[in-house]
Amino acid sequence: VQLQASGGGSVQAGGSLRLSCRAIGSILSDFSSRDMSWYRQAPGQQRELVAVITNSGTTNYADFVKGRFTISRDNAKRTVYLQMNSLKPEDTAFYYCSSVQGGWNWGQGTLVTVSS
């Protein structure tokens, strides 16, 4: 399965973006059973976990995005979303999604650039 992230772009601080990540080649029962996550990696920085959504819909967020980002999923579309509001320059990074259970290809991610 290939994870294809999209929706990145350039915005000014305070703006919003909605990222999507589609699991290409997955079947409904497999996708629905998996916990999914979003990570990000800024140039020269380590990859960091942003948010997780379990197969039952429970969500968890890194402290640095709490109250600003929302993770959600649409199993029928095999897609995970990340709604990002009140964006800050420090949110600039490549964003990737992954399956917590592993075994799926992360793909190339989508670039988010936030200017001050």
Side-chain angles (χ1 to χ4, degrees):
V1 172
Q2 175 78 31
L3 294 168
Q4 185 177 67
S6 61
S10 297
V11 296
Q12 289 191 327
S16 298
L17 283 172
R18 189 193 194 206
L19 306 184
S20 300
C21 178
R22 192 162 64 99
I24 300 171
S26 67
I27 60 174
L28 178 59
S29 59
D30 189 13
F31 183 85
S32 300
S33 71
R34 289 175 179 256
D35 305 327
M36 299 296 294
S37 58
W38 281 96
Y39 283 81
R40 70 185 187 186
Q41 186 167 20
Q45 303 293 319
Q46 289 189 331
R47 186 174 62 202
E48 54 187 3
L49 179 64
V50 175
V52 176
I53 185 166
T54 68
N55 57 14
S56 62
T58 301
T59 58
N60 283 287
Y61 299 92
D63 287 343
F64 52 79
V65 302
K66 278 183 180 176
R68 300 189 298 125
F69 291 12
T70 302
I71 188 171
S72 61
R73 65 192 296 161
D74 185 334
N75 291 336
K77 295 182 179 179
R78 323 292 198 272
T79 300
V80 181
Y81 302 97
L82 187 67
Q83 177 67 43
M84 306 187 297
N85 299 327
S86 302
L87 283 162
K88 305 175 181 179
E90 51 265 43
D91 294 320
T92 295
F94 277 95
Y95 285 72
Y96 306 84
C97 71
S98 76
S99 162
V100 173
Q101 284 76 11
W104 286 359
N105 190 323
W106 284 50
Q108 297 191 354
T110 187
L111 178 61
V112 172
T113 303
V114 184
S115 58
S116 57

